Amino acid sequence: MAGIELRQISKEFGNTQVLREIEIDIRRGEFLTLVGPSGCGKSTLLRILAGLEQPDRGSVHIDGREVTGVAPAERNLAMVFQSYALYPHLSVAQNMMTPLVLRDLSARERWPLLGPLISRAKRRDIAGQVREVAETLQIDHLLPRKPGQLSGGQRQRVALGRAMVRQPLAFLMDEPLSNLDAALRVHMRAELSQLHRRLGTTFVYVTHDQTEALTMSDRMAVMMEGKILQIGPPDDIYRDPDTLEVARFVGSPRINLLPGEIASGGAVTVLDHALGFALPGPAGPVQIGLRPEHLRPDPGGSIEGCIVHLENLGAEVHLHLAIEGQEEPVIVRLAPEQAQGLMLGTRHAFSVDPGRVLIFGADGMRLRRGAAQPVPARELA
Amino acid sequence: MTDTTASSSSPVFRFSAAETTKHVVLIAGAVIVLLPFYVMISFAMKSPAEIMQQTGGFFGSQAPFVDHYCSKLGNPESACMVNPIAYNFTQAFTKAPLLRYLLNGVIVTGSIFVIQVAVAVPAAYALAKLRFWGREAVFGLVLFGLLIPVHAIALPIYVMLAKLGLTNSYAALIIPWTISVFGIFLMRQFFMTVPDDLIDAARMDGMSEFSIIWKVMLPTAIPALLAFAIFSVVAHWNDYFWPRIVITGTRDLFTPPLGLREFKGDIDGNNYGPMMASALVIVTPLIVAFLIAQRRFIEGITLSGMK
């Protein structure tokens, strides 16, 4: 288990700044997800952590040791790649043995023909470890096969197995589930979480899928344009985003944004309806963020519009509400019993729970309601 | 319904001018390409008289004839009766040291190929997968190298080898071909298709860059390598031009195509039978190798996007 620290990491490719002064403390044994839209620099950050890429500025520390210039293999990290990156000409067993053979055998013991003769005991030991890991992952029956003969899910497991055999200080995963079909992805999500709990090793997981980040991580770091916008437990990020960008990125269906205003007295209005509370600070236009599940049908509610689309997902219903003067429909998530009687094409009003409203200033920063709601310390080290 | 089933079960052959023209052109092309082979195989089986008088068809009559060289040595004619095929092939192997030439061919083409691979694979890996200053310029030079015909630089190379005292040696046959820009180009194109993740995975596993080249890149590039092997081996096995220039004295260093000259312009006139027999011996290994490797060879060319 390792505590990993990234200090002031910056990276440029040509004239594009990919990473700007990234600071993260990854705790021992935690499952940290780096999440963000494609091109936000999350994969580059992971590659810098792995040693596959060098930062232009900043340093990487693992267990208190600076490893910025250390070769990837000597950091004792294991990486699982999106394309699995299995050696196509080697069998599953050989694929899984490779990291151990390279780490545990001397150059002479790796000689072809002669090497296996002088390192029999060690090789037996390695084969034993491979078999053990294969049994844990239930891929022991696949050991003699070549990667080309495996399905996507099986390859995924083999890649995981190849990472596990070396018992690394941390697992680095670069979108490992994105090549799987939807059902398998949900299944592997649970399996990876269980694996993390069982191994107790640090996991650093990169994804662009906010669902994966929300469901699997102990903490998630939302990245955009080379910066970490917010880092914290998934629940905090969802409930209490620091910026408009984070609020928009996390959550599906996405958060509803409506124009609002802070009047000179501090009273907050949405679509010219008072929300019933006040905010200190300068008056002016703001954006009001409403999660779809925080709207309730209420004939006297402040949000009124025409239902233009209904999605029945069985356990819940998503309503798309067209509101005059708004380009984007407001999405409302209701339980099926709440949605009874709401017909397509009819007008309905919804009320807002004032305690759940998220207010963002013109600069996109969150405006919080004073002491009533404690401001969580930003967990940027 | 009945119409379509009828036409699909017994296709109607209709005369089509376009199809016919296509096939006539293709057949003409095939005849032009195959005719020399036909002549070669036929001559290798016929007696000198049949070759001169153009009789005997494809196989010849296979009637024993008198070996004049044998009878001139004072042997009775009955002892000098030979079968044409046996005569042609024994002459091929005895009049010139054909086995020695074949061995030279193997040594030269084998060394050239091995060194070409040793140079081209790391170079192609660097050009395809490593980021370094001037990479595009170097690749530009490789492409430029592809444009230069060997004959244009044959003289300077010959002069250099002569000054180094290397003419009439295996080195003279091998050294000028050791760096193949075509090989670099072909392998580079193939390596471009290998995902970067695979190389990163190897680095995470602790492989050095050279291990990556030989243990990861090379095994994945076998089809491309095979395609290159055929290009390289065929070109240098059949090369007449370069050995003719640098091998001037010693017959011991002759490659198979040079060996063919042994049968040309003798006092007895051209001895076509043995000459074609040795030609047949020389081309057979290549044809066999190609037939064996045919599928992977085409795979290698198509994979590298050079259809």
Side-chain angles (χ1 to χ4, degrees):
Chain A
M1 288 197 286
I4 299 170
E5 296 155 40
L6 296 169
R7 293 270 167 270
Q8 301 281 324
I9 300 282
S10 292
K11 177 78 184 173
E12 280 127 50
F13 286 133
N15 289 328
T16 11
Q17 181 122 28
V18 187
L19 294 172
R20 303 159 201 258
E21 312 217 321
I22 300 278
E23 289 265 355
I24 309 185
D25 280 328
I26 302 168
R27 300 175 194 144
R28 277 160 188 266
E30 84 170 331
F31 195 129
L32 180 95
T33 305
L34 300 171
V35 64
S38 47
C40 71
K42 55 192 189 302
S43 288
T44 310
L45 188 61
L46 193 74
R47 291 170 56 81
I48 286 175
L49 175 51
L52 295 169
E53 204 90 60
Q54 282 298 310
D56 292 333
R57 282 178 302 284
S59 57
V60 180
H61 305 260
I62 298 176
D63 270 349
R65 182 170 74 109
E66 179 167 353
V67 294
T68 318
V70 173
E74 275 142 48
R75 300 184 183 200
N76 200 14
L77 305 170
M79 194 149 168
V80 178
F81 294 88
Q82 183 178 351
S83 60
Y84 317 135
L86 301 173
Y87 306 119
H89 58 290
L90 299 180
S91 70
V92 167
Q94 287 167 322
N95 261 287
M96 288 172 68
M97 276 179 204
T98 306
L100 293 181
V101 166
L102 287 164
R103 188 185 65 187
D104 297 344
L105 298 186
S106 65
R108 198 188 307 161
E109 287 168 335
R110 293 202 303 266
W111 276 355
L113 301 177
L114 200 60
L117 291 177
I118 56 174
S119 59
R120 268 179 143 149
K122 280 187 182 177
R123 279 172 191 265
R124 232 191 332 263
D125 184 41
I126 287 173
Q129 291 178 48
V130 165
R131 179 150 286 279
E132 209 172 292
V133 170
E135 276 163 15
T136 339
L137 290 170
Q138 295 166 354
I139 49 171
D140 41 331
H141 61 293
L142 303 175
L143 286 176
R145 297 219 207 145
K146 292 271 173 75
Q149 301 164 305
L150 304 181
S151 72
Q154 289 170 330
R155 281 183 217 181
Q156 167 70 56
R157 277 164 198 271
V158 175
L160 212 54
R162 186 175 61 177
M164 278 167 66
V165 282
R166 60 189 296 173
Q167 298 179 320
L169 292 169
F171 288 95
L172 313 180
M173 307 204 175
D174 191 359
E175 311 219 4
L177 303 186
S178 50
N179 281 357
L180 301 179
D181 62 61
L184 197 53
R185 202 177 309 160
V186 173
H187 173 77
M188 283 306 288
R189 234 155 54 190
E191 207 161 285
L192 276 181
S193 296
Q194 283 164 9
L195 187 69
H196 172 245
R197 276 196 295 277
R198 197 169 61 222
L199 297 174
T201 314
T202 314
F203 274 46
V204 183
Y205 188 99
V206 161
T207 181
H208 65 268
D209 182 347
Q210 51 97 26
T211 323
E212 281 177 21
L214 287 171
T215 49
M216 301 164 77
S217 7
D218 294 327
R219 285 196 303 158
M220 59 191 274
V222 183
M223 288 185 69
M224 259 172 232
E225 288 170 1
K227 281 183 296 202
I228 292 187
L229 298 180
Q230 193 173 355
I231 179 166
D235 190 44
D236 284 2
I237 304 265
Y238 184 77
R239 221 172 12 85
D240 194 19
D242 281 340
T243 64
L244 188 61
E245 287 161 305
V246 174
R248 249 199 307 235
F249 185 75
V250 179
S252 169
R254 59 176 174 70
I255 193 168
N256 298 300
L257 291 168
L258 293 167
E261 200 166 332
I262 301 181
S264 50
V268 183
T269 59
V270 57
L271 297 168
D272 299 327
H273 292 273
L275 276 171
F277 60 85
L279 261 187
V286 288
Q287 299 247 60
I288 309 290
L290 296 166
R291 293 281 180 200
E293 62 272 27
H294 296 149
L295 290 158
R296 284 189 319 276
D298 178 359
S302 48
I303 314 281
E304 196 188 349
C306 182
I307 299 172
V308 289
H309 185 56
L310 265 171
E311 282 175 334
N312 190 347
L313 304 182
E316 55 187 47
V317 177
H318 296 171
L319 296 178
H320 292 225
L321 204 63
I323 292 173
E324 289 80 30
Q326 296 299 307
E327 276 181 26
E328 298 261 309
V330 167
I331 298 170
V332 183
R333 175 188 283 169
L334 295 173
E337 53 272 20
Q338 286 178 299
Q340 271 168 10
L342 299 177
M343 305 295 285
L344 202 63
T346 55
R347 285 185 72 80
H348 285 278
F350 293 82
S351 66
V352 177
D353 178 356
R356 303 284 204 168
V357 171
L358 305 171
I359 302 163
F360 300 95
D363 57 353
M365 293 307 285
R366 175 84 182 281
L367 300 175
R368 287 191 165 87
R369 268 178 286 162
Q373 196 176 3
V375 179
R378 287 192 60 166
E379 290 184 53
L380 296 176
Chain B
M1 275 305 276
T2 44
D3 270 8
T4 48
T5 42
S7 65
S8 65
S9 61
S10 58
V12 182
F13 291 105
R14 261 190 303 170
F15 180 81
S16 152
E19 284 297 307
T20 313
T21 325
K22 233 185 266 174
H23 282 88
V24 167
V25 170
L26 288 174
I27 288 167
V31 167
I32 292 170
V33 172
L34 291 177
L35 206 56
F37 279 90
Y38 174 87
V39 173
M40 177 179 77
I41 296 167
S42 173
F43 278 18
M45 296 190 291
K46 285 166 138 184
S47 66
E50 285 168 332
I51 293 172
M52 285 306 152
Q53 293 153 21
Q54 300 186 12
T55 56
F58 179 65
F59 293 103
S61 61
Q62 297 302 329
F65 66 95
V66 179
D67 180 357
H68 292 297
Y69 190 68
C70 166
S71 65
K72 270 179 203 155
L73 289 176
N75 299 312
E77 270 201 10
S78 58
C80 288
M81 294 301 280
V82 283
N83 171 281
I85 294 183
Y87 169 78
N88 288 340
F89 282 89
T90 33
Q91 284 289 302
F93 282 96
T94 50
K95 198 169 170 199
L98 189 57
L99 281 177
R100 170 82 206 209
Y101 300 162
L102 289 171
L103 179 69
N104 286 341
V106 170
I107 291 172
V108 169
T109 48
S111 316
I112 288 175
F113 177 65
V114 168
I115 301 174
Q116 277 178 338
V117 169
V119 174
V121 170
Y125 172 72
L127 285 173
K129 292 295 178 191
L130 301 182
R131 274 177 293 179
F132 56 92
W133 186 86
R135 181 176 79 163
E136 297 312 308
V138 173
F139 185 57
L141 281 177
V142 169
L143 290 180
F144 180 67
L146 276 174
L147 300 177
I148 299 175
V150 272
H151 309 90
I153 49 169
L155 189 63
I157 289 177
Y158 174 78
V159 171
M160 282 194 280
L161 287 171
K163 294 236 160 150
L164 290 169
L166 286 176
T167 49
N168 289 313
S169 67
Y170 281 129
L173 290 168
I174 295 168
I175 288 173
W177 308 107
T178 48
I179 299 174
S180 162
V181 279
F182 176 70
I184 295 173
F185 177 73
L186 187 80
M187 296 312 283
R188 183 245 184 207
Q189 295 307 94
F190 189 86
F191 286 165
M192 294 290 278
T193 65
V194 176
D196 288 345
D197 278 359
L198 192 62
I199 296 160
D200 285 339
R203 286 186 188 136
M204 294 292 294
D205 283 349
M207 287 195 198
S208 68
E209 293 296 304
F210 274 102
S211 296
I212 292 176
I213 293 172
W214 301 118
K215 292 191 183 151
V216 179
M217 298 305 271
L218 196 66
T220 59
I222 291 294
L225 197 71
L226 217 62
F228 175 58
I230 298 223
F231 280 125
S232 167
V233 168
V234 168
H236 298 114
W237 181 269
N238 287 340
D239 192 14
Y240 180 75
F241 170 76
W242 188 251
R244 182 81 183 85
I245 290 180
V246 290
I247 304 301
T248 47
T250 21
R251 271 175 55 169
D252 280 354
L253 289 171
F254 275 16
T255 57
L258 284 187
L260 280 183
R261 286 177 65 243
E262 302 274 300
F263 300 96
K264 201 188 162 293
D266 263 349
I267 331 152
D268 323 331
N270 286 338
N271 207 351
Y272 287 122
M275 186 180 185
M276 288 302 112
S278 42
L280 194 61
V281 170
I282 289 166
V283 298
T284 305
L286 288 187
I287 292 175
V288 169
F290 179 79
L291 290 178
I292 292 171
Q294 199 178 20
R295 248 191 58 218
R296 315 253 351 228
F297 171 66
I298 290 162
E299 209 174 287
I301 305 224
T302 44
L303 265 177
S304 48
M306 294 183 47
K307 294 177 214 188

